Amino acid sequence: MRSINEITMRGSRADLEQLLARVEARLVDGWRRNRQAEERLGRHGVRGPWDCCFSCNASADRPAAGLWVHARSPSELYVSTVVPIEKEKLTNEECNRVLAEFEREFLRPAASETHVTTELVQRELSLEHELSPEGLRLLRAFAASANRTNLDTNDRCRWNAFLVRVHQDESRFDPSLLDEWLQQNGWSERMRSLLMDEYEAARSLLLAYDDGSETS
């Protein structure tokens, strides 16, 4: 099983808010609060109250990437999603390196000034961790009712709803995780290949649409 690092932050609401403000004030060396990405998520109507994005430029030691802070509960935030900015995808090692730098240079010093406790832990990499609860619900609804030999109109609607939600959530997981999930849930190699081709094409098209609408 593959693994990836995750940062957790635990404290009161006020302390967590203070922590994020202190992190933002410390950002240097090509790091910034990416409010454009946050606004884009808000326009899609899927941004949670704690969701925020920090990004970094490419350097000799790291790729250009963005990372998202999400809430697991009212007293716990976490960071596990690292999104490539200039490359098609990042290796697990690259993701872990970006997370480690963010935790070491900004998060840990800021946390020392608050009552928040932080932890960098290793977890197993799975599709369930990479999708939002709604994205996972839509995928399961599709898989549970679809004709696994030849998708009908209703199957297509459910599959497209999942693809749109993944795009709205800006979930940039390794596509092989989706292929593994489909295989574990009994999908044939032929259908998995078809769905994965459609997934890649849809993500590319939706990203191109977003880029075009932002520059028009």
Side-chain angles (χ1 to χ4, degrees):
M1 177 67 73
R2 291 172 293 171
S3 62
I4 194 170
N5 289 344
E6 176 180 277
I7 301 171
T8 60
M9 296 154 272
R10 300 182 182 90
S12 69
R13 180 184 180 88
D15 284 330
L16 290 171
E17 289 176 345
Q18 184 182 49
L19 173 70
L20 294 179
R22 288 177 181 268
V23 166
E24 184 174 359
R26 287 178 172 273
L27 298 177
V28 293
D29 191 27
W31 282 88
R32 64 184 178 90
R33 176 81 177 264
N34 194 334
R35 296 189 182 278
Q36 184 179 22
E38 296 171 6
E39 290 169 0
R40 186 166 60 246
L41 201 65
R43 289 198 300 272
H44 290 152
V46 295
R47 183 185 176 193
W50 282 104
D51 292 347
C52 62
C53 181
F54 298 94
S55 63
C56 60
N57 300 331
S59 72
D61 299 321
R62 66 169 188 252
L67 54 84
W68 282 90
V69 176
H70 300 292
R72 183 168 284 131
S73 72
S75 59
E76 181 177 338
L77 306 180
Y78 71 98
V79 179
S80 61
T81 303
V82 179
V83 180
I85 293 178
E86 297 174 351
K87 302 171 64 175
E88 181 68 22
K89 64 175 65 175
L90 301 178
T91 66
N92 292 350
E93 192 275 334
E94 287 174 322
C95 291
N96 289 340
R97 195 161 67 239
V98 170
L99 281 173
E101 179 179 341
F102 178 76
E103 192 272 341
R104 181 183 65 252
E105 300 297 328
F106 312 119
L107 185 60
R108 194 189 310 164
S112 69
E113 302 170 351
T114 70
H115 297 293
V116 175
T117 60
T118 67
E119 185 178 14
L120 184 63
V121 298
Q122 189 177 79
R123 66 167 175 79
E124 293 182 347
L125 189 62
S126 69
L127 189 64
E128 283 82 355
H129 283 102
E130 299 303 314
L131 292 176
S132 69
E134 179 62 11
L136 184 59
R137 184 193 71 78
L138 289 170
L139 177 61
R140 286 172 171 166
F142 161 75
S145 60
N147 181 329
R148 300 192 178 192
T149 302
N150 186 26
L151 300 184
D152 62 25
T153 301
N154 290 331
D155 298 334
R156 286 285 172 196
C157 289
R158 283 186 283 268
W159 175 243
N160 289 340
F162 165 70
L163 295 176
V164 170
R165 182 67 194 209
V166 167
H167 177 70
Q168 290 175 331
D169 290 335
E170 299 199 0
S171 299
R172 301 281 191 89
F173 53 81
D174 185 337
S176 67
L177 293 176
L178 177 58
D179 185 54
E180 290 173 7
W181 189 93
L182 291 168
Q183 182 179 22
Q184 292 166 2
N185 283 271
W187 288 77
S188 69
E189 183 177 356
R190 181 184 71 85
M191 288 300 294
R192 294 200 321 272
S193 178
L194 174 65
L195 292 173
M196 292 308 302
D197 286 346
E198 291 183 0
Y199 170 83
E200 296 280 13
R203 293 308 304 272
S204 178
L205 179 62
L206 290 168
L207 287 169
Y209 174 81
D210 273 358
D211 290 343
S213 64
E214 287 177 5
T215 57
S216 62

